[in-house]
């Protein structure tokens, strides 16, 4: 993958000399680990402080028709009054100065533009909260997430509960047959399960014999 940070020239063109230090929190971990709940909680706290929030979600995530709903059923808009902005990528985003928090869900589905955008948000002194899967169901780093994790001031590794043994789960297991040339199969508990490393590994080994 091309290294997605801005070049110095791009940076100079786009950022005024007035550079600030924002704050980036990344919530990561497997599916069902509470990443979206953590984002909704940050949004709620920011709204309590009467600051504006911009919440971005990728177009490719088609599970809830433009709504942000956690696996527990928490609905962003019902709970906070904030409506998500569904976008394909971050190439043309300008922020009103009053925005206190930029929240980004399912960040692993965005292209490299999300990394440059987050850099810009930070340089303009904003708080940014990002949620995204660290690993795909094959155990490989997921898209731009390693870059966002590198930029983060704070990384929260969320854990789910292993659906095989009940231990803390750090992995996502996919029940569907493997896709050719693709990591992305959108779905929920009918396709994916949270698992600990041991159970995930055993299930993957059994898959090899099927
Ligand atoms: P994520 O965004 O990380 O996929 P969500 O924030 O949408 O997760 O959902 C977390 C909620 O999912 C938990 O609070 C719990 O109610 C529910 N849940 C369902 N399956 C599991 C599981 N295997 N482990 C933990 N929580 C689960
Ligand atoms: Mg989520
Ligand atoms: Zn387990």
């Amino acid at each position: 993958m091309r290294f997605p940070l801005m070049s110095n020239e791009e940076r100079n063109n786009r950022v005024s000399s007035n550079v600030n230090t924002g704050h980036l929190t990344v919530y990561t971990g497997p599916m069902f680990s509470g990443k979206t709940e953590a984002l909704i909680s940050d949004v709620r706290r920011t709204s309590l402080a009467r600051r504006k929030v911009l919440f971005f979600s990728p177009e490719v995530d088609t599970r809830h028709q433009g709504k942000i709903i956690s696996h527990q059923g928490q609905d962003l808009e019902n709970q906070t009054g904030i409506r998500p902005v569904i976008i394909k990528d971050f190439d043309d985003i300008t922020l009103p100065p009053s925005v206190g928090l930029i929240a980004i869900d399912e960040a692993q589905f965005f292209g490299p533009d999300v990394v440059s955008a987050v850099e810009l948000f930070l340089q303009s002194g904003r708080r940014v909260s990002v949620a995204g899967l660290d690993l795909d169901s094959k155990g490989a780093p997921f898209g731009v997430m390693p870059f966002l994790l590198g930029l983060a001031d704070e990384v929260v590794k969320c854990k789910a509960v292993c659906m095989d043994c009940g231990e803390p789960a750090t992995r996502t297991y996919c029940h569907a047959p493997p896709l050719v040339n693709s990591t992305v199969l959108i779905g929920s508990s009918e396709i994916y399960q949270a698992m600990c490393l041991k159970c995930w590994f055993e299930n993957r080994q059994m898959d090899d014999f099927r």
Side-chain angles (χ1 to χ4, degrees):
M1 184 196 294
R2 184 180 76 87
F3 187 63
L5 296 184
M6 279 183 285
S7 68
N8 279 342
E9 196 187 346
E10 271 177 297
R11 213 176 259 130
N12 290 341
N13 288 342
R14 291 169 71 183
V15 181
S16 73
S17 57
N18 214 351
V19 174
N20 285 299
T21 306
H23 188 278
L24 172 62
T25 305
V26 178
Y27 299 105
T28 194
M31 282 180 73
F32 309 101
S33 63
K35 302 181 298 297
T36 298
E37 283 177 355
L39 272 193
I40 292 175
S41 166
D42 281 0
V43 171
R44 201 181 294 117
R45 294 170 67 94
T46 307
S47 300
L48 266 177
R50 292 195 287 278
R51 304 220 164 87
K52 278 201 185 144
V53 177
L54 264 180
F55 194 112
F56 293 107
S57 172
E59 208 174 66
V60 61
D61 186 7
T62 51
R63 282 172 296 186
H64 301 294
Q65 287 83 40
K67 285 177 167 288
I68 302 294
I69 301 176
S70 78
H71 289 111
Q72 166 82 347
Q74 280 191 33
D75 179 326
L76 171 75
E77 198 174 340
N78 282 353
Q79 295 220 347
T80 67
I82 302 291
R83 215 177 269 172
V85 183
I86 313 293
I87 53 169
K88 220 173 181 166
D89 221 326
F90 277 86
D91 36 15
D92 231 0
I93 306 285
T94 39
L95 295 181
S98 55
V99 172
L101 174 73
I102 296 116
I104 303 171
D105 202 10
E106 304 287 359
Q108 75 280 351
F109 290 147
F110 285 110
D113 279 354
V114 68
V115 182
S116 323
V118 166
E119 263 206 299
L120 273 178
F121 298 156
L122 295 174
Q123 285 160 2
S124 62
R126 311 309 173 95
R127 289 191 76 81
V128 185
S129 291
V130 167
L133 293 163
D134 46 3
L135 301 172
D136 64 22
S137 60
K138 297 175 204 139
F142 210 143
V144 293
M145 286 304 290
F147 295 98
L148 293 170
L149 288 162
L151 285 181
D153 297 285
E154 188 184 354
V155 173
V156 181
K157 278 266 194 177
C158 304
K159 290 194 181 69
V161 174
C162 175
M163 288 288 95
D164 266 11
C165 76
E167 288 297 309
T170 55
R171 298 288 171 132
T172 307
Y173 178 75
C174 180
H175 288 282
L179 290 178
V180 183
N181 292 335
S182 173
T183 320
V184 180
L185 174 63
I186 307 291
S188 199
S189 54
E190 74 285 358
I191 302 176
Y192 293 106
Q193 264 184 15
M195 285 187 194
C196 70
L197 178 62
K198 183 170 179 285
C199 296
W200 177 84
F201 194 66
E202 286 168 3
N203 275 276
R204 300 249 326 150
Q205 276 185 320
M206 281 193 289
D207 288 345
D208 290 341
F209 291 109
R210 276 190 199 123

